[in-house]
Amino acid sequence: MAQPAGAPAGQQPYSNGPVQNQLMHSPEGQGYSPAVPGSYSHQMPAKVPPHQSSGQYSYSGSQNVSQLNNFQGPGQTLNRPPVAAFSGSPVQQPGPVPQVLPPALQNSAAVSCAGSFPPGASPAVLSNWQFSQTPGSQLPGAQTSHLAPVPGAGPAQPPSSLPGSTNPAGSYQYAASPGAPPLQNSYMKPGSAPPPVTQPLTPLHPPRPPLGPPPVGGPPRPPAAVAGPPGAQSMLQSTVNQEGDARSAASDGSVVQNSYDAIEGGGLMATPHHSPAAPNVKMNRSVGYSYPALPPGYQHASPPGAPGRNAAALQYPDGSKHFQQPALGTNHLTASMAGLSLQQEGLRPVNLLQERNILPTTLLKAPVPNLHEDIQKLNCNPELFRCTLTNIPQTQALLNKAKLPLGLLLHPFKDLSQLPVVTSSIIVRCRSCRTYINPFVSFLDQRRWKCNLCYRVNDVPEEFLYNPVTRVYGEPHKRPEVQNATIEFMAPSEYMLRPPQPPVYLFVFDVSHNAIETGYLNTVCQTLLDNLDSLPGNTRTKIGFITFDSTIHFYSLQEGLSQPQMLIVSDIEDVFIPMPENLLVNLNENKELIQDLLKTLPQMFTKSLETQSALGPALQAAFKLMSPTGGRITVFQTQLPSLGMGALKSREEPNQRATAKDIHLTPSTDFYKKLALDCSGQQVAVDLFLLSGQYSDLASLGCISRYSAGSVYYYQSYHHKHNPVQVEKLQKELKRYLTRKIGFEAVMRIRCTKGLSIHTFHGNFFVRSTDLLSLPNVNPDAGYAVQMSVEESLTDMQVVSFQSALLYTSSKGERRIRVHTMCLPVVTTLSEVYLGADVQAITGLLANMAVDRSVSATLSDARDALVNAVIDSLAAYRSSVLSVQQPGLTAPFSLRLFPLYILALLKQKAFQTGTNTRLDERIFTMCQVKNQPLVYLMLMTHPSLYRVDTLTDEGALNINDRTIPQPPLLQLSVEKLSRDGAYLMDAGSVMFMWIGKNCGQGFISQVLGVPNYGSIPQNMTHLPELETAESIRTRTFISWLREQRPFFPILYIIKDESPLKSSFLQNMIEDRTESALSYYEFLLHIQQQVNK
């Protein structure tokens, strides 16, 4: 893993040599200079993670692991009190020890290396900029090109770091106020302290308890005013570290970068700075990027103080040379909040009991924030970054009153067809909170910009005045960084703790008798053979293989061998690695041996009678093998592990599946979680493919992926003969998995405007240093969510901003930073809060919170909390916003689908009651809720239903010479089905086509290729490729729906008598089922509670 911080730059940690990348590496080779000029002392916040000595993670600090069986991590809450299981006793790592730095060094940010050019010199031009198409965004299986960002390991930005706020990240204590009423039926148990780790659902219902006082001794606020010329400031700041960089002085006096927190930097961990903009303490909080036309003298201006220029003219302290931007007032927010038809529609009361057809006929889009169009067109795409409320309440009291959750949903590494990539040497960031410059900062004049998160005024570096796209000097506000809310930077060497790691892929196969019986090994080895050349990487890519049953088998692929050599280790109690140098080999140099192994593996164990499974020891061996470099472990498992560390016993009792009290949603051992945290420390992620017909305790096994930022795939009852449809699903999903972009050694931070705070994260990762998400691997199919609160009143602010930064190493060995920034208006009335509610984002965040609640409390508690979220918000709307009380159940137009979506969640496998859901299936669905981007989560929760026997080209999309029909969406109720039609239900990971008994003969023959209804086969899962117009339309529509998904939905064609008809009807959310209310009954229940 991380090379010791002070290792000489010349050492090459990888046998196949350094990466030569002109954009990022200096001619000497790695360009990795641990000694960065200039040493700054660094103040530490009062609260730091306890005792993190080198090589150990303290598992008690920022992410509080309440009993390890608590599903936590994804959903980790900051700074809970340490828990006994882990407190102060970090796990000793069996293999090489991760170089983790003492907390005193884990602090802030990287220096923006801005070289400068003298006035008049011709700066580097266009070649430094590339607006690239991100590979992978073009074709589903496209290989990543070197311009495509690859998720990886790098610094990212502190989520909870409310720039400029005085509380160090993670020091917020959430305490119930003395004398406050117990939080009944809310997301907290009455009288209990906040649940550990994933703070399961925060109390949405009763008003939020006030926050406890911030800890004493946090970073001080910047002094109200520091007079004096800029020169005096620089002297003062030389001791405070202008860049927020945490560096430690080595014994020889050089300065060493020493942690990911240091590199990415900032957030509340960053040292507060005494801002030169003293008079701006009471700042006009406007947003934008334009300023009045500059006087002619500004064109090609020389630096302040340069000969021929009056330096005093640029002295800022008294604001004498301010270029005032218009405030973001009435002309920047769209008109006033009263008279817009859009707004009247958004607040129009809807009587849900009377208006039955409220489902839109097209897919619901995210609401558009109420911002001036010039600002809104620069805003972040909601598919990447969206907020549950597009109008941010000014105070926590107003948020409490609305009874809606405030949070963000992110899809940070999504495949993009266009992504501006900045390759210039300068990355401009706020010197105080380390925010990256973005479209929502304000330029006071040509040489100063005001941060939109902490309001500090920063100088514009000389190089930034030149725009390489337009080749014009003196227009910093037109640079791509200030014109794009999503942008990617090529990071210089200061953003590296070590030379970028090579792509390393290790495959771990279960070869017990049970595994061989399923036939999965043939499919996996063949898919790997077909896609070896498409694995993301470069000349340094390494690959290795381990198989296991009751013993562990390694494969030496040493150059010069005529065939792979198998090495068996039978001591599973103390696993060691035989010949480690030949087990992970260069893919390009050893391709023939690797291909030989993949061809022979499936036959090697066909006669095996070994039924035991030593998964735990195999994972320990894999971890030891991967520790020196980091990378990705892909493990295939087909049964409950039965030997060695991590052995498990069956906990599922089929008859008790329905009793919410007794289902085992928590891990039965902390082995997999501890191993995952060790992996995370060494930049290793573990992806689990579970192919099993029997209970395999996914609640325990899933921890290996959850805390190492991996993914879980589950193929229930996989068998190549008895369940052939799963074979195609595995092939397609494995191909996507092997060829999609990947980023290594990544970290991510989310920053937000001062006054807001982030307190709980959801997704697969480990929270390192309170607000830095550690992502050993990052992939384009992963989503994340965070919960937020309004910590300080947002008075005088008309807008707030949020920024996520993901620092990673691409598969080509480039260090990159992908930044997304979003700007939203602040509002002061309850009606405006409801007006901006994003009902899909609210549902997605509540689903994440409900998973945590199921695990920390019970499934029935989580279900109650979901129902109460609807009751409370509609009751608050009725009592506080509606001027005239109306009969029925009234909701604002923006929340008209809220009860429907919550009912859909209650009927989803993660939260439904009834005995027909297997425990592993329920856990897998919970894993998907925590790790799916919102668009897929919503499809899984509320499927889309279309009539497909009447498809036409009217209103069709035209994409790449294909005409894609766009039939209207139908409500999920049997009453919408006609026996004369054919209907397609898209439920995300599965599709059903239901054919009515009286369906037209034309459709049956021209699309299904059979003469009549009776001839439709029972197990039909493919449409024949017929050359009829109807067949082409139907197949084009289905393939368009399937494109770019992380999973491959099988298509089941069903008739009235098909066994799968019950699964199809189970997704009819609006109809009654054996254990759940119909939509109308649910509305009556809500109405009764609201009117109490």
Side-chain angles (χ1 to χ4, degrees):
M1 159 59 195
Q3 193 174 316
Q11 280 184 5
Q12 295 179 10
Y14 307 121
S15 55
N16 41 4
V19 182
Q20 299 294 339
N21 177 337
Q22 305 305 333
L23 293 170
M24 294 176 53
H25 299 83
S26 66
E28 288 94 72
Q30 286 297 358
Y32 165 59
S33 162
V36 188
S39 139
Y40 303 99
S41 64
H42 209 71
Q43 249 179 324
M44 277 307 294
K47 186 112 172 167
V48 293
H51 321 300
Q52 272 174 277
S53 58
S54 178
Q56 300 172 334
Y57 274 107
S58 156
Y59 298 116
S60 57
S62 59
Q63 118 184 20
N64 189 26
V65 186
S66 77
Q67 308 129 355
L68 284 169
N69 13 354
N70 261 357
F71 228 17
Q72 281 145 119
Q76 291 134 326
T77 309
L78 304 183
N79 271 336
R80 306 267 183 265
V83 176
F86 270 160
S87 67
S89 55
V91 179
Q92 295 302 320
Q93 321 235 1
V97 186
Q99 307 289 333
V100 179
L101 302 157
L105 306 178
Q106 300 227 18
N107 228 8
S108 63
V111 182
S112 304
C113 265
S116 62
F117 41 79
S122 69
V125 214
L126 202 55
S127 59
N128 284 358
W129 290 83
Q130 296 167 17
F131 283 76
S132 70
Q133 291 233 331
T134 324
S137 49
Q138 299 142 357
L139 296 170
Q143 166 138 15
T144 17
S145 87
H146 67 284
L147 283 173
V150 185
Q157 316 203 335
S160 75
S161 95
L162 322 187
S165 98
T166 49
N167 305 346
S171 328
Y172 311 120
Q173 306 292 336
Y174 292 92
S177 53
L183 309 179
Q184 276 148 1
N185 262 343
S186 80
Y187 288 99
M188 280 180 147
K189 288 205 247 178
S192 69
V197 183
T198 315
Q199 182 162 335
L201 312 167
T202 24
L204 292 182
H205 323 304
R208 180 176 194 99
L211 300 175
V216 208
R221 278 188 189 280
V226 180
Q233 273 310 113
S234 62
M235 291 186 296
L236 179 135
Q237 288 180 357
S238 64
T239 53
V240 186
N241 176 1
Q242 303 168 338
E243 300 297 340
D245 265 293
R247 306 196 206 129
S248 61
S251 51
D252 59 358
S254 63
V255 176
V256 179
Q257 287 283 11
N258 46 31
S259 81
Y260 282 105
D261 206 14
I263 305 181
E264 203 290 313
L268 292 187
M269 303 286 285
T271 311
H273 298 293
H274 309 281
S275 164
N280 274 324
V281 171
K282 175 71 175 153
M283 295 179 200
N284 176 17
R285 285 153 180 187
S286 56
V287 72
Y289 51 87
S290 59
Y291 43 81
L294 297 169
Y298 259 20
Q299 304 308 322
H300 309 292
S302 46
R309 187 104 197 260
N310 177 4
L314 271 180
Q315 290 192 356
Y316 317 141
D318 62 353
S320 57
K321 204 60 175 159
H322 266 196
F323 282 72
Q324 278 303 340
Q325 247 180 305
L328 233 194
T330 46
N331 34 340
H332 270 245
L333 291 168
T334 28
S336 76
M337 286 290 206
L340 276 176
S341 59
L342 163 75
Q343 293 166 341
Q344 290 167 347
E345 175 67 1
L347 272 179
R348 175 173 70 81
V350 178
N351 186 333
L352 297 177
L353 290 167
Q354 287 176 357
E355 297 192 36
R356 298 299 307 282
N357 298 314
I358 55 168
L359 190 74
T361 56
T362 55
L363 288 172
L364 193 64
K365 291 189 167 61
V368 178
N370 189 34
L371 293 165
H372 187 277
E373 62 185 40
D374 288 347
I375 293 174
Q376 181 49 35
K377 72 183 180 191
L378 294 171
N379 226 340
C380 195
N381 180 342
E383 290 179 12
L384 304 173
F385 206 176
R386 64 201 278 186
C387 184
T388 55
L389 304 176
T390 57
N391 288 332
I392 303 294
Q394 189 180 66
T395 62
Q396 182 67 36
L398 184 59
L399 176 59
N400 291 341
K401 205 171 173 186
K403 308 290 186 190
L404 292 171
L406 177 60
L408 304 170
L409 289 100
L410 295 88
H411 188 180
F413 203 59
K414 178 179 162 63
D415 286 324
L416 298 173
S417 55
Q418 282 192 315
L419 176 68
V421 177
V422 178
T423 59
S424 70
S425 62
I426 182 169
I427 297 178
V428 178
R429 300 176 66 182
C430 173
R431 298 177 71 150
S432 188
C433 68
R434 307 300 295 144
T435 294
Y436 293 80
I437 198 166
N438 61 78
F440 312 109
V441 305
S442 309
F443 282 89
L444 303 181
D445 56 37
Q446 212 183 12
R447 296 188 172 272
R448 296 179 303 155
W449 63 278
K450 187 196 293 181
C451 175
N452 52 321
L453 268 64
C454 71
Y455 305 114
R456 176 194 167 111
V457 173
N458 295 272
D459 293 341
V460 175
E462 184 72 30
E463 298 93 314
F464 202 76
L465 292 172
Y466 178 76
N467 185 345
V469 177
T470 59
R471 304 194 185 195
V472 173
Y473 185 85
E475 296 184 340
H477 59 286
K478 292 187 178 174
R479 295 259 308 200
E481 297 95 321
V482 191
Q483 293 290 322
N484 293 281
T486 290
I487 196 155
E488 182 142 296
F489 297 96
M490 302 289 283
S493 57
E494 303 92 271
Y495 287 80
M496 304 173 198
L497 280 184
R498 60 175 185 176
Q501 69 170 70
V504 185
Y505 305 112
L506 177 61
F507 295 89
V508 182
F509 298 125
D510 175 359
V511 291
S512 62
H513 178 72
N514 184 58
I516 298 303
E517 191 60 27
T518 67
Y520 90 89
L521 208 50
N522 291 292
T523 307
V524 171
C525 289
Q526 189 55 52
T527 308
L528 250 173
L529 272 169
D530 295 343
N531 293 286
L532 264 186
D533 292 333
S534 305
L535 287 176
N538 53 17
T539 52
R540 301 192 303 156
T541 305
K542 290 185 171 187
I543 194 168
F545 300 89
I546 292 176
T547 56
F548 68 96
D549 41 33
S550 60
T551 57
I552 300 171
H553 325 127
F554 298 89
Y555 296 87
S556 171
L557 299 164
Q558 185 180 2
E559 226 173 330
L561 288 177
S562 56
Q563 60 182 43
Q565 184 181 3
M566 183 183 192
L567 309 162
I568 300 176
V569 173
S570 53
D571 182 1
I572 58 171
E573 296 306 319
D574 184 16
V575 182
F576 68 96
I577 308 294
M579 303 169 61
E581 65 284 355
N582 300 326
L583 303 180
L584 281 174
V585 296
N586 185 287
L587 174 59
N588 297 318
E589 294 167 10
N590 299 274
K591 190 170 286 179
E592 285 184 15
L593 271 181
I594 291 163
Q595 289 170 331
D596 288 350
L597 177 62
L598 288 171
K599 286 171 187 166
T600 54
L601 258 183
Q603 281 69 51
M604 284 170 63
F605 300 93
T606 46
K607 298 198 166 48
S608 166
L609 298 176
E610 184 55 75
T611 57
Q612 303 283 1
S613 167
L615 173 66
L619 284 172
Q620 287 178 321
F623 166 66
K624 286 184 177 181
L625 191 53
M626 294 289 277
S627 288
T629 53
R632 182 177 75 192
I633 297 173
T634 308
V635 59
F636 293 82
Q637 174 70 4
T638 65
Q639 60 178 311
L640 204 63
S642 55
L643 279 184
M645 297 292 285
L648 302 169
K649 293 191 171 64
S650 179
R651 300 187 289 166
E652 181 179 53
E653 297 173 34
N655 301 331
Q656 296 195 354
R657 282 182 190 156
T659 59
K661 290 178 188 169
D662 300 327
I663 58 175
H664 300 286
L665 300 176
T666 54
S668 58
T669 170
D670 63 1
F671 170 80
Y672 295 99
K673 178 171 185 173
K674 286 180 174 177
L675 184 55
L677 295 179
D678 289 344
C679 286
S680 177
Q682 299 294 62
Q683 301 301 343
V684 174
V686 184
D687 294 321
L688 173 66
F689 284 74
L690 183 61
L691 313 103
S692 174
Q694 303 299 319
Y695 172 70
S696 299
D697 197 355
L698 188 53
S700 300
L701 296 184
C703 292
I704 192 70
S705 298
R706 190 168 313 121
Y707 297 102
S708 68
S711 317
V712 175
Y713 293 79
Y714 178 52
Y715 302 87
Q716 188 177 316
S717 309
Y718 183 92
H719 196 281
H720 67 123
K721 286 184 183 160
H722 304 154
N723 198 353
V725 71
Q726 292 269 25
V727 175
E728 183 188 13
K729 184 174 173 65
L730 175 61
Q731 276 173 334
K732 292 278 178 37
E733 292 182 352
L734 187 57
K735 178 179 180 180
R736 160 85 182 158
Y737 169 82
L738 293 171
T739 58
R740 70 188 180 188
K741 281 183 325 193
I742 181 171
F744 297 99
E745 48 189 352
V747 287
M748 182 166 73
R749 265 204 170 101
I750 303 164
R751 297 180 162 93
C752 48
T753 295
K754 176 182 173 182
L756 295 169
S757 77
I758 294 171
H759 56 82
T760 305
F761 298 88
H762 301 274
N764 289 0
F765 48 73
F766 172 59
V767 177
R768 184 190 285 178
S769 75
T770 68
D771 62 353
L772 189 68
L773 304 189
S774 171
L775 303 168
N777 289 178
V778 60
N779 71 70
D781 302 328
Y784 305 89
V786 296
Q787 289 165 242
M788 306 182 66
S789 55
V790 183
E791 194 173 54
E792 297 172 20
S793 171
L794 305 173
T795 321
D796 299 335
M797 296 187 203
Q798 286 152 323
V799 292
V800 289
S801 298
F802 307 88
Q803 187 176 82
S804 76
L806 175 73
L807 172 60
Y808 68 94
T809 298
S810 79
S811 57
K812 304 292 178 196
E814 299 163 344
R815 206 73 173 120
R816 290 174 169 242
I817 309 164
R818 188 174 294 192
V819 178
H820 304 290
T821 313
M822 173 173 63
C823 177
L824 295 174
V826 175
V827 298
T828 55
T829 66
L830 202 54
S831 58
E832 290 168 316
V833 175
Y834 285 118
L835 177 68
D838 181 339
V839 69
Q840 289 186 313
I842 289 169
T843 306
L845 184 61
L846 287 173
N848 275 280
M849 294 160 71
V851 167
D852 292 346
R853 185 62 188 268
S854 304
V855 174
S856 63
T858 64
L859 191 59
S860 57
D861 278 4
R863 290 171 56 86
D864 290 348
L866 287 171
V867 176
N868 287 333
V870 178
I871 294 168
D872 290 350
S873 56
L874 295 189
Y877 172 75
R878 183 172 186 267
S879 62
S880 305
V881 177
L882 279 185
S883 47
V884 180
Q885 295 302 322
Q886 303 174 1
L889 177 62
T890 312
F893 186 77
S894 60
L895 291 178
R896 67 196 184 284
L897 298 175
F898 194 23
L900 178 62
Y901 286 160
I902 293 298
L903 177 65
L905 268 183
L906 296 172
K907 293 187 175 187
Q908 203 214 37
K909 282 180 180 162
F911 305 111
Q912 70 185 18
T913 54
T915 54
N916 56 357
T917 306
R918 289 186 174 189
L919 185 48
D920 280 344
E921 203 178 354
R922 186 187 296 276
I923 297 286
F924 175 61
T925 312
M926 288 181 168
C927 292
Q928 286 183 301
V929 168
K930 299 284 279 189
N931 196 37
Q932 291 276 12
L934 182 63
V935 58
Y936 304 130
L937 174 57
M938 289 309 301
L939 200 51
M940 203 168 75
T941 302
H942 187 275
S944 298
L945 182 66
Y946 307 93
R947 182 163 182 168
V948 289
D949 62 316
T950 54
L951 291 179
T952 67
D953 289 343
E954 192 180 331
L957 294 177
N958 286 301
I959 301 176
N960 300 334
D961 300 328
R962 288 189 307 164
T963 302
I964 299 154
Q966 296 294 294
L969 283 170
L970 302 174
Q971 286 173 252
L972 293 171
S973 173
V974 173
E975 68 183 50
K976 298 295 174 189
L977 301 180
S978 155
R979 289 188 178 275
D980 301 335
Y983 296 84
L984 178 73
M985 177 185 284
D986 178 7
S989 51
V990 64
M991 290 181 176
F992 299 99
M993 186 183 284
W994 181 79
I995 312 294
K997 261 198 173 130
N998 306 327
C999 181
Q1001 191 59 41
F1003 182 83
I1004 290 176
S1005 60
Q1006 293 178 16
V1007 175
L1008 303 181
V1010 295
N1012 53 45
Y1013 180 83
S1015 310
I1016 300 172
Q1018 187 74 274
N1019 296 319
M1020 189 172 181
T1021 55
H1022 288 88
L1023 293 178
E1025 296 194 14
L1026 307 176
E1027 287 307 311
T1028 63
E1030 290 85 349
S1031 171
I1032 291 169
R1033 266 195 210 107
T1034 310
R1035 286 183 291 111
T1036 303
F1037 180 56
I1038 290 172
S1039 64
W1040 175 72
L1041 291 174
R1042 280 174 164 164
E1043 277 169 16
Q1044 289 299 316
R1045 288 197 190 166
F1047 34 78
F1048 177 78
I1050 299 169
L1051 172 66
Y1052 293 102
I1053 293 151
I1054 56 175
K1055 304 188 288 183
D1056 264 356
E1057 54 274 21
S1058 298
L1060 280 168
K1061 187 183 176 190
S1062 59
S1063 301
F1064 174 70
L1065 295 177
Q1066 185 74 36
N1067 282 318
M1068 290 294 186
I1069 304 300
E1070 300 195 19
D1071 298 336
R1072 184 172 194 154
T1073 62
E1074 56 174 38
S1075 58
L1077 301 175
S1078 70
Y1079 176 53
Y1080 190 73
E1081 291 168 329
F1082 184 64
L1083 290 177
L1084 291 173
H1085 171 68
I1086 299 291
Q1087 181 195 22
Q1088 183 188 359
Q1089 299 300 312
V1090 166
N1091 292 342
K1092 271 186 177 176

